Amino acid sequence: MITDRIDAVTRIPADCLKAAPPLPKSVKIEISPRCNYRCGFCALPKRRTQPKRDMDFALFRRITRELRAVGVEEVGVFYLGEPFMGARLLVDCIDYLKSELAMPYVFLTSNASLAFPDAAEACMKAGLDSLKWSVNASDAAQFESVMGVSGRMFHWALKNIQAAWELRQERGYATGLYASSIRYDGEQQAKMEALLRGRVLPYVDQHYWLPLYSMGAFATEREAQLGYRPSAGNQGRIDALREPLPCWSAFTEGHITAEGKLSACCFDATANWTMGDLTRQSFMDAWNAPQFVKLRRAHLNKDVSGTVCGKCVAYS
C-alpha cells in the first residue's frame, strides 16, 4: 500500500544517517512548477515570480536515464506544482519512464481539479503505478477560503476522483488510486470526514491523514490569518510521525525542480535549499556536494541554527 512506501522514505535507515549518505531510491521531479491553486498553507504563492515554463523533456530524459543507471527505483513526476498543468508532458514523462527505462515505480500527487478523465486515463495507460489525490477542503466555501480560487474547482476535483476510479474499474488499469487529507480540528475535522465518506473513500484504495506542514516557514503569515498552526517541518503522515531533526527530506529522497536544480528540501518553492545544478553536474555529484554534506552534518548534530534550515518553524 502507499503508506508502506511513504513510511519507507520518511524513516531514515542507519546506513543513511551520515553527512554523505548513499544515493536515494526515490526521487521527485517537478514536471510542472505551476499550480492552479493558491493554498494558504503552501509556499508556492510566495514566489516573487510565478513560473510559466514546464520542465524541458530532453532534460527530463537525461536526468532520469542517469537516475535509473545509478539504481533509483521510484520516480515521482511531481514536486511542488500541479502535474496536470502540463498534462501532455506528464503523460510523455510517465511513458518514457515505464517503456524506455523500465522504472519499477512511478507515482504522482495531484489536486484532481485538472485530472479530467482523458488525462487521467492517459496516465494510467502509460503505466502510472500510483495516483494520489490531495483533498483538503470539506466544501466549496472552505475551498475558496483556503485554496484561494473558485469553488467550481472543488466540484471538478471530486468528479475527477470518481471518474478515475470508474475508468480504472471498467478498463482494468493497474494504477493504484489513493488520497490524503490535512487533519484539522473539531467541527472542521468532522466536516472533512463526512465529505471523505461520501465523495472520496468509495473511489480510492487507501486514504491517510497528514499534519498541516510548515512549508519551510514561508507560508506562516497566511497560515496565521487562516487560524492554522503548522506542525514542525515534514514529519510524514499522522500515523507514523518522524522527528523533525534530522529531516528525512535531506537524506532519503531527491527533489529536482523544473529547472534541473537539486534541492535539500521537500518544500523548496523559492530555491533557498538548492544544493546542485543538474544542467551542469551529475545527480551523484550534486547529492553529496560540499554544501549538502555540511547541511546534513548540522541536521545530524540537531543544530541547524545559522543554516538555510534555521528559520523553519520546525526549529524555531
Side-chain angles (χ1 to χ4, degrees):
M1 300 296 280
I2 190 173
T3 50
D4 295 327
R5 292 184 177 273
I6 293 169
D7 295 348
V9 172
T10 62
R11 181 191 305 112
I12 307 176
D15 66 330
C16 291
L17 282 171
K18 54 185 70 174
L23 291 170
K25 295 295 183 183
S26 180
V27 175
K28 290 178 181 175
I29 304 176
E30 191 172 45
I31 302 303
S32 176
R34 301 174 291 138
C35 189
N36 59 328
Y37 285 10
R38 291 294 178 265
C39 298
F41 51 77
C42 183
L44 280 181
K46 290 295 185 179
R47 287 170 166 166
R48 292 181 180 178
T49 302
Q50 291 300 316
K52 298 179 180 180
R53 293 184 179 181
D54 296 336
M55 190 174 206
D56 179 72
F57 189 41
L59 177 61
F60 175 86
R61 294 197 304 269
R62 184 185 68 74
I63 290 174
T64 52
R65 280 198 305 271
E66 179 190 353
L67 294 178
R68 189 70 186 112
V70 298
V72 169
E73 298 176 354
E74 301 182 8
V75 169
V77 281
F78 75 105
Y79 177 17
L80 294 175
E82 167 51 48
F84 281 96
M85 290 287 285
R88 183 64 262 171
L89 175 62
L90 173 63
V91 173
D92 288 344
C93 289
I94 296 169
D95 181 67
Y96 180 75
L97 288 168
K98 299 302 291 189
S99 64
E100 297 293 327
L101 300 184
M103 187 66 66
Y105 191 74
V106 179
F107 63 103
L108 68 83
T109 290
S110 167
N111 64 37
S113 66
L114 299 178
F116 298 108
D118 287 350
E121 183 175 19
C123 290
M124 296 183 199
K125 191 173 182 179
L128 182 67
D129 295 287
S130 169
L131 174 50
K132 192 204 78 173
W133 311 116
S134 183
V135 183
N136 296 310
S138 63
D139 53 41
Q142 188 202 16
F143 181 91
E144 291 188 351
S145 173
V146 176
M147 281 70 200
V149 292
S150 170
R152 288 178 299 174
M153 294 185 189
F154 172 78
H155 299 292
W156 294 352
L158 293 175
K159 289 180 180 179
N160 290 338
I161 289 171
Q162 179 175 345
W165 174 269
E166 292 172 348
L167 273 169
R168 190 191 70 170
Q169 299 303 96
E170 176 186 343
R171 301 181 185 178
Y173 297 117
T175 307
L177 296 174
Y178 308 101
S180 68
S181 304
I182 293 172
R183 184 177 288 281
Y184 297 98
D185 296 322
E187 181 182 353
Q188 181 53 45
Q189 180 63 20
K191 290 181 179 179
M192 279 297 304
E193 291 172 350
L195 172 85
L196 293 170
R197 283 194 302 271
R199 302 296 302 276
V200 177
L201 296 184
Y203 308 115
V204 295
D205 302 312
Q206 187 181 22
H207 171 273
Y208 60 94
W209 294 101
L210 296 169
L212 178 60
Y213 295 136
S214 71
M215 295 296 285
F218 275 96
T220 50
E221 180 180 348
R222 178 64 176 139
E223 287 166 345
Q225 293 172 354
L226 293 169
Y228 300 144
R229 179 173 176 79
S231 66
N234 185 340
Q235 296 181 54
R237 62 188 185 91
I238 288 287
D239 290 333
L241 293 176
R242 311 303 185 193
E243 291 295 324
L245 285 174
C247 180
W248 62 266
S249 177
F251 292 82
T252 61
E253 186 173 69
H255 300 91
I256 301 172
T257 71
E259 296 178 339
K261 305 297 176 62
L262 177 67
S263 176
C265 182
C266 52
F267 295 140
D268 190 7
T270 53
N272 274 36
W273 285 266
T274 298
M275 297 290 126
D277 185 349
L278 303 187
T279 66
R280 300 180 179 182
Q281 63 189 139
S282 70
F283 181 87
M284 294 176 286
D285 288 341
W287 180 250
N288 282 327
Q291 61 269 30
F292 210 166
V293 170
K294 182 179 179 181
L295 181 63
R296 290 197 193 98
R297 188 170 292 119
H299 276 251
L300 291 169
N301 292 332
K302 298 191 176 183
D303 181 6
V304 295
S305 56
T307 75
V308 69
C309 298
K311 292 184 179 180
C312 179
V313 71
Y315 320 117
S316 299

